[in-house]
Amino acid sequence: MQKQDSINVLGGVLAPCSRDPVTGFFRDGACNTCPEDRGSHTVCAVMTAEFLAYSKYVGNDLSTPRPEFDFPGLKPGDQWCLCASRFLQAHDEGCAPQVSLEATHQRALEIVPLSILATYRAPE
């Protein structure tokens, strides 16, 4: 799998999203992507209790540890590379988490307009 260029939605170098827990399609701590990343795990989101409850409700439980996948479970304040479509769905439902624009891959813009992402910009 060949990574696409590590460029963020602002046109700069893609910043790391999280190393604790380690996130990303490649589990490299960044929201890097490639054509095989069908879910477009490109939005670096800051988890909130509301978003984690919503995600569990719609069938993607991110808060329960899954040791068999070396997944610790997420808690509010953790950063995680979300699927762009899931972020947009959460936005449409009024419970989208904050976003690190510097750590969100430009491929997210294929699904989520920058104006929407910017609305949720996390304080740096």
Side-chain angles (χ1 to χ4, degrees):
M1 290 184 285
Q2 183 67 37
K3 285 183 191 177
Q4 293 180 343
D5 290 342
S6 298
I7 298 172
N8 66 34
V9 294
L10 303 174
V13 176
L14 186 68
C17 182
S18 175
R19 287 214 152 293
D20 184 22
V22 177
T23 190
F25 181 76
F26 291 97
R27 289 297 187 263
D28 60 1
C31 298
N32 282 302
T33 191
C34 65
E36 291 82 6
D37 178 12
R38 298 195 194 290
S40 188
H41 296 78
T42 51
V43 176
C44 181
V46 181
M47 297 296 103
T48 62
E50 180 184 31
F51 174 77
L52 289 168
Y54 168 77
S55 190
K56 186 173 185 176
Y57 174 74
V58 295
N60 187 23
D61 183 358
L62 296 173
S63 52
T64 300
R66 300 287 303 270
E68 67 273 25
F69 298 118
D70 199 26
F71 178 69
L74 302 177
K75 60 190 180 312
D78 285 344
Q79 293 193 174
W80 193 251
C81 295
L82 283 183
C83 293
S85 59
R86 176 72 74 203
F87 174 84
L88 188 58
Q89 181 183 20
H91 161 74
D92 290 344
E93 296 292 330
C95 58
Q98 289 187 318
V99 173
S100 169
L101 295 180
E102 289 78 6
T104 295
H105 196 281
Q106 67 179 357
R107 183 172 167 209
L109 299 176
E110 295 174 5
I111 297 168
V112 186
L114 181 57
S115 59
I116 291 175
L117 289 169
T119 301
Y120 298 95
R121 186 175 198 160
E124 298 301 324

